[in-house]
Amino acid sequence: MRNVRPYDPNSTAAASAENANAPALFNQRVKKANTSALGKPGIHESAIKHVTGTAKYVDDIPELPGTLHMAAGGSAYAHANILAMDLDEVANSPGVVAVYTYEDVPGELDVAPVFDGDPLLAPGVTQFVGQPIFLVVAETYEQAQQALPLAKVEYEPLPANITLAEGLAGGEKVLPDNVITRGDADAAIASATHQLQGEGYIAGQEHFYLEGQISLAWPTEDGGMHIHTSSQHPTEVQKLVAEVLHIGSHLVTAEVRRMGGGFGGKESQAAVLACSAALAAYHLQRPVKYRLPRRADMERTGKRHDFGFEYRIGFDNEGVIAGIDLTLAGLCGCSADLSQGIVDRALFHADNGYYLNQARVTGLAPRNHIVSNTAFRGFGGPQGMLAIESIIDDVARAVGEDPLTVRKLNLYRPGADTTHYGQTIDQLVLAEIIGSLEQSADYWQRREAINGFNSSNTYLKKGLALTPVKFGISFTSTHLNQGSALVHVYTDGTILVTHGGTEMGQGLYTKIAQLVAAEFGVDSAHVQVSATRTDKIANGSPTAASAGTDLNGFAACNACQEIKGNLIEFAVRHFNVSAEQVVFANNQVSVGEQTISFAELCRVAYMNRVCLMAHGFYKTPKIYFDRATNQGHPFYYFANGAACAEVIIDCLTGEYKVERVDILHDVGRSINPALDIGQIEGGFIQGMGWLTSEDLLWDSQGRVISNSPANYKIPTAFDVPRHFHVGLYEGANPESTVFNSKAVGEPPLMLGIAVWAALRDACASVAEHKFNPRLDAPATPEKVLAAVNAALAFTEEGSSNA
């Protein structure tokens, strides 16, 4: 068994304290200890800036003289024809400089990321409440907002499908159905010892990034546009702005220094703001800033997809799966956006860590008249995983076993190690992770104690669950699995890195700096990672799919190795030594019997005309997928983990509290344990929020009514479990990734499923676990109370029948 690295707050705090006291002047900075060597905990590169308010976001950029502000008027109906639009009063409102409609777009109107269907401004038919139909540009933000209500728009309302059920009944789809099959699921289910069928509903989630959607467009002297954008995909912003303005991509630069959170919500949807601001800047030849108010942001941008699921399953007396027929339907909204990849990933992760045997998994993508839903941390994977975890719970109750026992019996194992889409699981570590956590969290002792507590308490019930995570790492669109980086080494020994990834708080820039520093054997204080810009890195992929470090880190290392090779080749000639005698370490370079500083070697190399800059490129190997057969190897590797959660519920009100959480998560060889633990903790809390308190709501007319912090509840510090233990499963990634690490952005979110499963376990205890009440996500107190009442009704019915 591999070692488990526990959460050590002292080491992280010590590193943080040392960095906090670091002098600002460069000649002092380079002398401080290297507190962020590979494999050691280190502070986030912008942490001090974050807490002191000096980190610059788009809205903090000083406005150039003449900067204008934008607002958008939205549709009042979910589905309607626009019969007439009178914008005269809007145009004449104080401070208003210009008003634009779709007719003012000089180039391409559609700004969809993959498939058509996302017009920048509605051209006559609206598809969701709040869909932009005109733009207002004014001298101030307030003046732009105040002009919006003055528009006079005449509509012809059309029938609208708001809910997933309405979308499925309507029959219109944004994408064709997708079916993944292995063997004969129907025959396997029919011949199994036991059969079950059921259904469930998994609601979506608002991104609730701290920095809202925003873009700032500056016209350039050569007829182009410079865009400061809060986007995870600057290359897509560049491409769409160029298409909207009908100019070449070489005239558009998109720049991202950092985002105040993204979570997938700024992968495709940020382009709408960038294109809108660029449109006005193009016409007026003045800078234009477009920032969405929080309420508009929540009403007009896509969210995590709701998913409904239905299943039939066959299994033996122990609960081992013989066959399954599972249908997953996503609430995609009015257009495809990124739904193909999201529904696909839900299908790919409908196994979680379990061998499904004979299987048919179907994905549906109906059209609804709500804003198009989009990427969100996990990208469909969490919904597929929650569906199978719910099913495993049902199977366990049917055979009278503890759910953990049934989970362990169904894990991938030798001889049963191939997914329903044809990929062999090369690293079978979930059994080891679960077994380790099962012991460290005292699962069985606590189960016995909880059973005793529940039998002696009528109105308070406890629940316990231990659930696994197996999450595939790679973009399911194979062409996106590429990264680029540009590395400059200066004659003073300092290093500047530009790469295609974007920083949204996850620590990507920090890890890139560590990797580059390690390549040259210098402290990370010598390395600066610059803003991501499309004029430095062309054709970049979005920072998504948890692949930011894998792709861009490897590309940066490849660039470093080219420069390092140049330096070694020069040193061999200049100092008359062998290549093996040139060693980079501790800010110095040993060349035979002598040692010189890294800066001195760079200076001498420059004087001898040695190239000290390089472009690095990386593409993920081994991955392929045939959509015609739905078989292949779409993921380079899998990140694994497990969480054990204990909850207590009030059977009279449905209120509950998460009392304890234990996590063991697989990050390969951790580049920076402090950052990885932070990602695990944050991902878990965000996943817990999705499945408990975050309740997305629309009214019958398609209006988002969970549109502010007053009526949409994300977790707070008070929701963090009092007993919260995070450990890192130590074991190098067997695949050749940077430092043999593993991605850590998305997988921890699914650890939150343990809380939902524990709540359902507590509800089932009301019926002594002989009945598993339905508990749709999010498990709000109202839904928990309904599940408790269903369990009580089952118990009372059983008593009356007896």
Side-chain angles (χ1 to χ4, degrees):
M1 181 177 292
R2 293 175 176 82
N3 293 327
V4 174
R5 181 186 298 172
Y7 174 52
D8 184 357
N10 293 324
S11 64
T12 305
S16 300
E18 184 166 348
N19 280 272
N21 294 323
L25 294 177
F26 168 74
N27 61 352
Q28 293 174 307
R29 286 185 65 216
V30 297
K31 295 178 182 177
K32 79 180 182 65
N34 185 18
T35 58
S36 49
L38 287 179
K40 302 298 182 182
I43 191 171
H44 187 288
E45 51 89 21
S46 290
I48 295 172
K49 299 184 186 77
H50 290 155
V51 298
T52 58
T54 57
K56 294 292 189 292
Y57 297 88
V58 175
D59 210 26
D60 298 316
I61 297 172
E63 294 177 4
L64 293 175
T67 297
L68 300 171
H69 297 265
M70 174 173 282
S75 170
Y77 292 88
H79 191 202
N81 287 322
I82 300 175
L83 302 180
M85 190 158 53
D86 182 355
L87 302 177
D88 287 347
E89 289 189 37
V90 176
N92 294 324
S93 182
V96 171
V97 175
V99 179
Y100 299 109
T101 68
Y102 75 94
E103 295 174 323
D104 298 300
V105 176
E108 177 63 52
L109 181 63
D110 201 308
V111 293
V114 183
F115 304 97
D116 291 343
D118 292 312
L120 183 64
L121 296 165
V125 180
T126 67
Q127 300 288 341
F128 64 91
V129 173
Q131 181 176 11
I133 57 177
F134 65 91
L135 300 171
V136 179
V137 185
E139 297 290 349
T140 69
Y141 172 85
E142 292 75 15
Q143 288 171 333
Q145 295 292 328
Q146 290 163 4
L148 295 178
L150 301 177
K152 297 175 182 177
V153 185
E154 183 181 350
Y155 299 93
E156 178 191 16
L158 300 172
N161 297 321
I162 306 304
T163 66
L164 179 58
E166 290 171 350
L168 290 168
E172 194 176 358
K173 301 172 182 177
V174 298
L175 294 163
D177 298 348
N178 192 19
V179 184
I180 300 176
T181 60
R182 177 174 58 193
D184 190 338
D186 292 331
I189 294 169
S191 62
T193 308
H194 303 282
Q195 296 85 26
L196 268 182
Q197 63 181 26
E199 61 182 7
Y201 195 86
I202 306 162
Q205 187 178 19
E206 166 62 38
H207 297 90
F208 218 96
Y209 22 65
L210 291 181
E211 177 201 29
Q213 298 276 4
I214 185 171
S215 279
L216 172 61
W218 292 342
T220 61
E221 62 183 21
D222 50 14
M225 201 65 59
H226 191 110
I227 309 290
H228 288 274
T229 176
S230 185
S231 170
Q232 296 171 233
H233 198 352
T235 287
E236 185 171 83
V237 168
Q238 175 196 32
K239 170 183 176 291
L240 292 174
V241 167
E243 290 177 353
V244 166
L245 301 184
H246 198 56
I247 60 177
S249 291
H250 66 303
L251 295 175
V252 179
T253 297
E255 179 176 350
V256 183
R257 171 56 184 93
R258 62 170 61 85
M259 288 165 277
F263 309 119
K266 296 176 180 177
E267 182 174 346
S268 67
Q269 311 246 315
V272 173
L273 281 84
C275 292
S276 298
L279 175 67
Y282 168 85
H283 283 297
L284 299 170
Q285 287 300 296
R286 292 173 64 178
V288 177
K289 181 188 290 187
Y290 184 11
R291 173 171 64 85
L292 280 181
R294 177 65 67 176
R295 185 180 298 271
D297 199 320
M298 297 181 73
E299 292 172 348
R300 299 182 182 183
T301 61
K303 301 149 196 341
R304 186 188 296 280
H305 291 54
D306 290 32
F307 267 81
F309 67 92
E310 296 179 350
Y311 74 90
R312 295 184 302 117
I313 190 169
F315 49 94
D316 66 15
N317 288 327
E318 293 183 310
V320 176
I321 298 170
I324 186 171
D325 180 11
L326 173 62
T327 298
L328 293 157
L331 183 68
C332 300
C334 65
S335 68
D337 190 74
L338 300 174
S339 291
Q340 182 181 69
I342 290 164
V343 174
D344 283 357
R345 191 172 277 266
L347 302 187
F348 291 148
H349 287 78
D351 58 342
N352 194 7
Y354 310 115
Y355 180 67
L356 298 182
N357 210 327
Q358 309 299 291
R360 178 169 57 245
V361 185
T362 303
L364 308 178
R367 186 187 303 278
N368 288 81
H369 296 106
I370 61 171
V371 63
S372 185
N373 283 322
T374 192
F376 200 129
R377 197 174 192 173
F379 207 73
Q383 295 94 317
M385 293 162 73
L386 183 59
I388 193 63
E389 291 301 337
S390 176
I391 294 166
I392 290 287
D393 273 354
D394 291 344
V395 169
R397 301 308 181 200
V399 298
E401 286 286 354
D402 187 282
L404 178 57
T405 300
V406 176
R407 287 187 165 93
K408 291 165 65 177
L409 287 172
N410 281 289
L411 290 174
Y412 283 107
R413 52 203 179 274
D417 57 0
T418 305
T419 68
H420 52 296
Y421 49 88
Q423 179 164 347
T424 299
I425 309 297
D426 297 319
Q427 191 187 23
L428 297 170
V429 297
L430 266 180
E432 185 177 322
I433 290 173
I434 290 173
S436 180
L437 186 63
E438 184 181 353
Q439 294 181 27
S440 64
D442 299 320
Y443 181 89
W444 294 109
Q445 296 92 321
R446 290 164 63 195
R447 171 61 76 190
E448 185 176 348
I450 285 171
N451 288 342
F453 176 91
N454 289 341
S455 65
S456 60
N457 284 272
T458 303
Y459 302 117
L460 295 177
K461 300 290 183 181
K462 289 187 175 184
L464 183 69
L466 195 160
T467 59
V469 168
K470 174 187 69 66
F471 190 80
I473 304 300
S474 290
F475 287 96
T476 53
S477 296
T478 304
H479 72 278
L480 294 176
N481 292 285
Q482 56 179 298
S484 298
L486 185 63
V487 176
H488 295 102
V489 176
Y490 297 102
T491 55
D492 63 355
T494 60
I495 304 161
L496 179 68
V497 184
T498 307
H499 60 86
T502 55
E503 176 65 50
M504 61 197 90
Q506 82 276 38
L508 173 61
Y509 278 27
T510 308
K511 289 186 175 182
I512 296 286
Q514 289 178 260
L515 290 165
V516 169
E519 287 290 337
F520 289 111
V522 300
D523 292 350
S524 57
H526 289 76
V527 181
Q528 177 67 40
V529 181
S530 71
T532 304
R533 292 173 53 125
T534 56
D535 60 350
K536 299 294 186 293
I537 300 296
N539 310 317
S541 295
T543 305
S546 302
T549 301
D550 285 0
L551 298 178
N552 301 289
F554 221 125
C557 288
N558 286 342
C560 293
Q561 288 160 14
E562 180 177 336
I563 299 170
K564 192 174 177 181
N566 294 343
L567 287 170
I568 291 173
E569 182 181 347
F570 164 71
V572 167
R573 295 195 315 269
H574 189 77
F575 295 100
N576 195 27
V577 295
S578 67
E580 291 73 22
Q581 291 178 289
V582 183
V583 179
F584 296 73
N586 301 317
N587 302 313
Q588 297 177 321
V589 183
S590 298
V591 282
E593 297 298 321
Q594 62 177 309
T595 299
I596 61 174
S597 70
F598 176 72
E600 177 63 14
L601 177 62
C602 294
R603 188 191 67 79
V604 176
Y606 164 74
M607 296 301 295
N608 285 271
R609 298 184 296 176
V610 174
C611 181
L612 297 179
M613 61 175 289
H615 172 263
F617 180 77
Y618 172 77
K619 61 180 180 180
T620 308
K622 297 185 178 182
I623 54 174
Y624 62 91
F625 190 73
D626 183 352
R627 286 195 63 83
T629 62
N630 271 327
Q631 296 291 297
H633 194 284
F635 304 115
Y636 188 30
Y637 62 88
F638 294 90
N640 305 278
C644 181
E646 181 179 333
V647 303
I648 186 168
I649 67 171
D650 185 330
C651 294
L652 297 177
T653 66
E655 293 177 292
Y656 53 81
K657 186 175 182 63
V658 182
E659 296 202 312
R660 176 177 168 179
V661 169
D662 298 83
I663 291 171
L664 181 58
H665 195 75
D666 165 31
V667 297
R669 289 177 68 202
S670 176
I671 294 173
N672 188 323
L675 292 183
D676 288 346
I677 288 171
Q679 284 291 292
I680 294 166
E681 292 172 338
F684 168 81
I685 295 298
Q686 190 172 49
M688 181 182 75
W690 165 49
L691 297 174
T692 57
S693 63
E694 298 185 43
D695 200 9
L696 281 176
L697 297 171
W698 285 262
D699 68 14
S700 61
Q701 303 303 308
R703 295 179 178 84
V704 177
I705 55 177
S706 50
N707 57 4
S708 76
N711 48 37
Y712 185 81
K713 301 298 183 182
I714 65 171
T716 70
F718 294 102
D719 297 303
V720 176
R722 181 177 295 274
H723 302 284
F724 192 14
H725 312 286
V726 176
L728 299 181
Y729 172 82
E730 292 196 349
N733 188 346
E735 298 296 347
S736 181
T737 57
V738 283
F739 200 59
N740 293 107
S741 63
K742 285 191 176 185
V744 72
E746 292 173 295
L749 182 131
M750 281 70 81
L751 297 168
I753 292 173
V755 172
W756 174 87
L759 288 170
R760 198 178 187 205
D761 180 67
C763 296
S765 73
V766 174
E768 298 180 347
H769 296 118
K770 296 175 182 177
F771 171 74
N772 217 25
R774 177 171 172 173
L775 184 61
D776 290 341
T780 60
E782 294 85 353
K783 290 177 183 173
V784 168
L785 183 59
V788 167
N789 289 337
L792 284 171
F794 172 84
T795 303
E796 292 168 358
E797 182 180 347
S799 299
S800 62
N801 290 337

